[in-house]
Amino acid sequence: MLGTYGDGGNVHVLHHRLSWRGIPSEVVPIPLGTAVPTGIDLLVLGGGEDDAQSKVAADLARYLPPVLASGTVVFAVCAGLQLLGHSFETAAGSTVAGAGVLDVTTTAGHRRAIGEVVAVPADPELPLLTGFVNHGGMTLLGDAARPFARVRRGPTNHPLSRVDGALQGSIVATYLHGPVLARNPALADHLLERSTGLQLEPLPDLEVARLRRERLAPHRWWARRP
Amino acid sequence: MRGVDAARVNRNPASRAAWQALAGWLARAAGWASRLAGRGSGLTITGRVLTMLSPQSVSRLAEGRRIVLVTGTNGKSTTARLIAAAWAAQGPVTANGDGANLMGGIASTLLQSSHERVVLEVDEVALPAVIERTRPELVVLLNLARDQLDRVGEVSSHVRGWQAVLRRTAVGELVVNADDPLLVSAVQGAATKVTWVGAGLTWREDARGCRRCGQHITFEDHDWWCESCGLRRPPVQAVRSEDKLCIEGGPTFELDLDLPGDWNRANAAMAVLAARTVGVDPVTALQKMREVHDVNGRYAQGSIDGHQVRLLLAKNPASTGSILDLLEQSSDPVVFVFNAGAADGRDPSWLWDVPFERLAGRRVVVTGLRAADLSVRLRYAEVEHEVADDLPGALRGLGAGRCDVVANYTAFATTKRQLQHTGGGR
């Protein structure tokens, strides 16, 4: 139910990056109302419209704590990030309880945050992040969560904040689309290594290199950016 | 934008009429200046100037005319074109083009012609306002799917907007695709006669959540229903199956078109029912529709820089999926021209909702301002491809022989201008 913003692409990327290294993987879709199995390596939660989001929150509150306890890495994008938090406010004005496993709270913004982002990841091993954000919610981090990245250019979690996303325990969450793992293969490989414990050989990634050069080029304010 | 149509200028009906005439003249002058400067057709600027100077202009220009509105995420231009062709059997018809489907473009379309019969394609986001100002005789609803999410918001907000306007404003009649649950939700509570058509729906990803109660919609063959609240496909007055259209359990008509693709048969089915509503019988309508060979460049065949091409538009997951269906019928090389400008939707993530894997084995070249994003997508789809700096470069690389050029919105507009026409259709 949560795949509106092309975030299914993140799963695609993860699956292929393993298969290109000769490592088989199984992608398990989890429909609304189904229990999330414990013992999986990586759980991916994508973005979606407000209506769909509210339905999923109740499910996650129930199923996530044992999943996290079993060591599963959880990667969440946009609505996924909001759902993992304490609560989020929909555009219609109602406050919905989240899963409560990530120390963040989201309220409804007056204007949508939309645009290209360049950010410096909190993890010093990772290169610059590029992505596109599009969200109506404003998210603030509590003490138990750390920022996922510091935003150099573009919209952030919240008008009063300079950060993107959140990290806490085995949860990695961001507002970046693109899909974010398509644009940031080092992040994809980092998630794979962390969740499987494997050491991964580098991949040529020529097409992504070209895309990253374009997306990370210095901002020429006098020229029209595509 | 607030209009200058202020009370102090316009209490006197004579001065109001004079002001509106002046506004019309100024708007037309702006359009002429725009064309002179080579900035396009001038439709948008004409409309903007007109609605800025005289916000009541659209209602006034629509008065006394027979207006048919066509909307939906995919198929608006083609269906509006087919309806206009069919209706022309009764007399001259005014139609707008796909660059003029917001209020400004509609205003200038109404300004620049005085025919009684008007068919307007309307952008999903503009539909409520256009319905209120034009009081149409007929509104045709085709489908709703995700498109340009960074620009025009979510499908659910369209459903809510349409529902609200249809409940409070009387339109003459509705012709609606019953195979799309989102449209059935949008029409709930409308106090208007509805003709339901089983035109078909291939892209269902946005319709799986019931917009009435939030639970799951189940699709089975041609039927669908909500698991929990009872919303279901209504009984239809007409049903399409491939090339055949059956109306009210009566005669079956052959949807014999010069346009390719199954989705155009769906569009044609809707157009036939719309034409029937305004008084054109299906046989006549289909005869006229057969004469449509391209729709503002879509499906057009011609040459660019001496290379034979067929031009196709693919601007969101639903339409791109349909284009892939079409491409599978031939083995010509295909060039994708891909931008992500403001009018395209700046976020190309939607490419990951398209099964590009189906292109495996074809010769594929990618170009355009956002070719790099599409190239990454194709890499993960394991489709070998080349990247070219521009379309002429791509075509040179392909050498002689026909190819298909698939472009998204702004790329399509640029490419269309380069095409030397030799014909259209299949």
Side-chain angles (χ1 to χ4, degrees), chain B residues 340-383:
Chain B
D344 297 302
R346 288 162 60 201
D347 179 9
S349 299
W350 63 267
L351 292 173
W352 295 77
D353 293 329
V354 178
F356 283 107
E357 290 75 9
R358 293 162 61 185
L359 288 173
R362 298 284 290 261
R363 181 102 187 264
V364 178
V365 183
V366 166
T367 183
L369 295 172
R370 296 301 287 268
D373 294 85
L374 180 50
S375 171
V376 173
R377 173 68 187 102
L378 291 176
R379 174 68 189 104
Y380 282 94
E382 299 182 356
V383 172

Side-chain angles (χ1 to χ4, degrees), chain A residues 1 3-10 12-14 16-17 19-20 31-32 48-51 55 112 114-116 132 134 177-179 181-183 185 204-205 207-208 210-211 214-215 226, chain B residues 146 149-151 153-157 160 206 208-211 213-216 340-341 346-350 352-353 357 369-373 375-377 379-382 385 387-389:
Chain A
M1 285 199 67
T4 304
Y5 291 78
D7 293 317
N10 286 322
H12 212 83
V13 167
L14 292 165
H16 276 81
R17 294 185 80 75
S19 83
W20 288 337
L32 184 69
E49 297 192 2
D50 270 354
D51 294 350
K55 292 276 153 253
R112 282 190 86 84
I114 303 177
E116 284 285 327
F132 187 89
N134 177 7
H177 295 290
L181 298 184
R183 290 213 196 170
D205 284 335
E207 296 80 6
V208 190
R210 182 195 211 117
L211 177 60
E214 211 182 74
R215 294 291 106 206
Chain B
R146 69 190 68 159
L149 288 167
D150 65 284
R151 204 174 148 233
E154 304 169 346
V155 162
S156 298
S157 74
R160 285 191 294 268
D206 291 293
R208 294 199 187 274
C210 175
R211 281 348 190 245
C213 71
Q215 296 304 315
H216 262 282
R346 288 162 60 201
D347 179 9
S349 299
W350 63 267
W352 295 77
D353 293 329
E357 290 75 9
L369 295 172
R370 296 301 287 268
D373 294 85
S375 171
V376 173
R377 173 68 187 102
R379 174 68 189 104
Y380 282 94
E382 299 182 356
H385 61 280
V387 180
D389 286 335

Side-chain angles (χ1 to χ4, degrees), chain A residues 43-73:
Chain A
L43 177 66
V44 179
L45 292 174
E49 297 192 2
D50 270 354
D51 294 350
Q53 219 167 304
S54 310
K55 292 276 153 253
V56 179
D59 266 11
L60 288 180
R62 193 155 50 149
Y63 298 128
L64 272 187
V67 165
L68 287 166
S70 76
T72 303
V73 174

Side-chain angles (χ1 to χ4, degrees), chain B residues 404-421:
Chain B
D404 282 314
V405 175
V406 181
N408 69 338
Y409 193 73
T410 61
F412 186 85
T414 331
T415 309
K416 195 173 68 174
R417 284 198 279 274
Q418 300 172 43
L419 186 75
Q420 305 296 314
H421 272 262

Side-chain angles (χ1 to χ4, degrees), chain A residues 7-129:
Chain A
D7 293 317
N10 286 322
V11 172
H12 212 83
V13 167
L14 292 165
H15 175 74
H16 276 81
R17 294 185 80 75
L18 284 178
S19 83
W20 288 337
R21 287 148 165 146
I23 302 167
S25 61
E26 196 193 342
V27 175
V28 181
I30 300 178
L32 184 69
T34 323
V36 179
T38 53
I40 57 176
D41 300 294
L42 178 61
L43 177 66
V44 179
L45 292 174
E49 297 192 2
D50 270 354
D51 294 350
Q53 219 167 304
S54 310
K55 292 276 153 253
V56 179
D59 266 11
L60 288 180
R62 193 155 50 149
Y63 298 128
L64 272 187
V67 165
L68 287 166
S70 76
T72 303
V73 174
V74 175
F75 177 60
V77 178
C78 196
L81 180 163
Q82 297 177 354
L83 278 165
L84 292 178
H86 301 299
S87 67
F88 59 92
E89 198 186 335
T90 64
S94 52
T95 302
V96 180
V101 296
L102 180 62
D103 193 9
V104 305
T105 309
T106 303
T107 51
H110 296 295
R111 289 175 55 191
R112 282 190 86 84
I114 303 177
E116 284 285 327
V117 169
V118 175
V120 180
D123 182 339
E125 306 279 301
L126 293 174
L128 275 185
L129 295 164

Side-chain angles (χ1 to χ4, degrees), chain B residues 191-208:
Chain B
T192 306
K193 173 170 184 238
V194 181
T195 300
W196 295 107
V197 182
L201 189 79
T202 34
W203 175 263
R204 295 167 168 176
E205 299 315 309
D206 291 293
R208 294 199 187 274

